[in-house]
Amino acid sequence: MTLNDVAQKAGVSPITVSRALNRPEKVTDELREAILETVKALGYVPDFAARALASRTNNVVGVLSSMLGSSIFPPVMKGIEDRMRDTGMRIQYVNTTFDPEEEIHQLKQFFAQNPTGIIIGGVQIDPRVTDLLRASPCPVVQFIDISYPAIDMAIGVDNRAAGMVAINHLLERGYRRIGFCSGRIDIPVTMRLESFKQRMSEEGLFDPNLVISVTAENPISLGGEILDRLLAEAPDLDAILCAHDDLAIAVLFECQRRGIKAGANLGVCGFTDIDYAAHVFPSLTTVRMPLYQLGYSAANMILRVQEGRKHTEPVDLGFKLIERESTRRSAEGA
């Protein structure tokens, strides 16, 4: 079964069938539905290898990230897939596990397929990876802190500013003995930590012993370790700024277990605003990152290049502090 067979059956030209499958916005909804019904009835399967030879791309968009296994990535993935739906593009995901060697290997594998585009993020910047991306045969969109220069196209947030908003919120709520907790130290975490150090130093409150890093396959299991380490350094600890919501929620669970009243006796703030941050008890104060929009917009940037339009400046999606119960100090706990 060939494209010509579909065209003949549908009573249209082969190029119209191709447009309906690959550039659906170029045909009317009614015509596209009629062609798709014919494709389904005939059992036509596009020959992607032949398409790649003809067009020099194979309609694959590669997505590389070290965060595929985290609670952060599903909204990003949904955004990518929602934008790519009905475009004829295929999405391939690779988890690079914070390993530059794996990232280099997977990029080379993608480049060998003549991809339509690459979306990449969540890894440390390695000069070898940077050089490889600069030589990319296809458009590249990076998820990146907007303070970093883009190799091709980039989208992200200002993590230094986000960190400043978070620590200012804790200080404004009256917390003074504040710890900072992170998992893996990547670029966004580094930026947030720099803001924490700067602002706490300005207030004469910074204690380097209250900056800790913890790691585990399941971050939710780390609440006990986080509290043990910080309280050992500062029994008068009254707040924790966590670099990710998973760690903050782990602290909230441990506070419940120990009978510590989060918010009143220990303020807890996170970053990201994952789906269940509003539904834990107490609800989590956090800095919301536009994860769905991050994925949707990155995919849209790849598609716009195909239309002859390209973003030349990094896109700042912004962020928003979401104040909830975990940083509300009651009169009883103040």
Side-chain angles (χ1 to χ4, degrees):
M1 187 61 57
T2 68
L3 189 80
N4 287 333
D5 296 325
V6 175
Q8 184 176 3
K9 182 70 173 178
V12 297
S13 68
I15 195 169
T16 301
V17 175
S18 179
R19 284 174 179 162
L21 296 176
N22 303 310
R23 304 288 295 277
E25 73 280 3
K26 298 294 185 181
V27 300
T28 65
D29 291 344
E30 182 180 357
L31 180 56
R32 178 173 173 274
E33 288 301 319
I35 291 172
L36 290 180
E37 286 296 325
T38 304
V39 166
K40 182 178 179 180
L42 295 180
Y44 171 68
V45 177
D47 187 340
F48 291 109
R51 181 184 299 172
L53 289 173
S55 67
R56 302 189 63 83
T57 64
N58 67 358
N59 282 16
V60 165
V61 174
V63 181
L64 294 86
S65 175
S66 294
M67 308 298 290
L68 261 64
S70 76
S71 59
I72 295 174
F73 203 75
V76 179
M77 183 183 299
K78 187 176 189 306
I80 293 172
E81 293 176 355
D82 282 354
R83 181 61 187 92
M84 289 297 187
R85 188 167 290 113
D86 298 329
T87 65
M89 296 294 174
R90 295 178 295 138
I91 308 167
Q92 292 183 8
Y93 295 99
V94 171
N95 188 0
T96 54
T97 64
F98 293 95
D99 182 355
E101 297 295 340
E102 179 66 13
E103 191 170 24
I104 291 168
H105 170 71
Q106 294 296 343
L107 279 172
K108 289 179 177 179
Q109 294 295 312
F110 274 129
F111 292 161
Q113 299 180 54
N114 297 322
T116 296
I118 296 289
I119 299 173
I120 185 169
V123 295
Q124 296 284 15
I125 292 180
D126 185 285
R128 298 168 299 163
V129 175
T130 301
D131 289 343
L132 194 58
L133 290 174
R134 285 200 179 101
S136 170
C138 65
V140 174
V141 177
Q142 292 169 278
F143 296 142
I144 198 168
D145 188 278
I146 62 165
S147 65
Y148 276 73
I151 292 170
D152 185 11
M153 297 178 287
I155 187 168
V157 300
D158 186 338
N159 283 282
R160 191 187 303 272
M164 192 63 72
V165 165
I167 186 58
N168 278 336
H169 170 70
L170 291 174
L171 291 170
E172 289 164 3
R173 297 301 295 171
Y175 300 105
R176 289 295 178 268
R177 201 76 165 109
I178 306 172
F180 184 95
C181 175
S182 66
R184 187 179 298 273
I185 304 295
D186 56 14
I187 292 167
V189 171
T190 299
M191 297 298 188
R192 297 165 191 171
L193 178 55
E194 286 180 2
S195 292
F196 174 82
K197 290 179 178 178
Q198 175 187 333
R199 190 69 186 90
M200 291 292 283
S201 296
E202 290 171 354
E203 294 292 324
L205 298 172
F206 178 64
D207 182 347
N209 294 321
L210 295 185
V211 176
I212 65 169
S213 179
V214 293
T215 57
E217 287 295 323
N218 180 11
I220 295 296
S221 68
L222 293 171
E225 179 183 348
I226 293 168
L227 283 181
D228 284 344
R229 289 176 59 182
L230 289 175
L231 289 172
E233 295 291 342
D236 58 342
L237 182 81
D238 63 3
I240 304 174
L241 178 56
C242 296
H244 295 290
D245 283 351
D246 284 347
L247 296 176
I249 290 171
V251 170
L252 293 182
F253 288 163
E254 186 64 17
C255 284
Q256 288 183 6
R257 193 181 72 82
R258 299 187 185 193
I260 298 172
K261 192 173 182 181
N265 303 122
L266 182 70
V268 182
C269 180
F271 285 88
T272 303
D273 197 22
I274 58 179
D275 288 344
Y276 48 91
H279 305 290
V280 294
F281 181 80
S283 55
L284 178 65
T285 294
T286 184
V287 179
R288 176 180 294 164
M289 302 295 177
L291 299 178
Y292 175 87
Q293 191 62 38
L294 190 71
Y296 190 96
S297 297
N300 190 55
M301 291 165 78
I302 295 290
L303 295 174
R304 285 173 65 92
V305 173
Q306 305 306 303
E307 300 168 357
R309 296 180 292 173
K310 184 174 183 177
H311 283 275
T312 57
E313 297 294 331
V315 177
D316 184 356
L317 291 178
F319 56 84
K320 183 180 181 181
L321 178 75
I322 307 298
E323 182 180 359
R324 299 192 180 106
E325 296 168 339
S326 68
T327 57
R328 290 178 186 164
R329 306 193 80 173
S330 65
E332 175 187 354

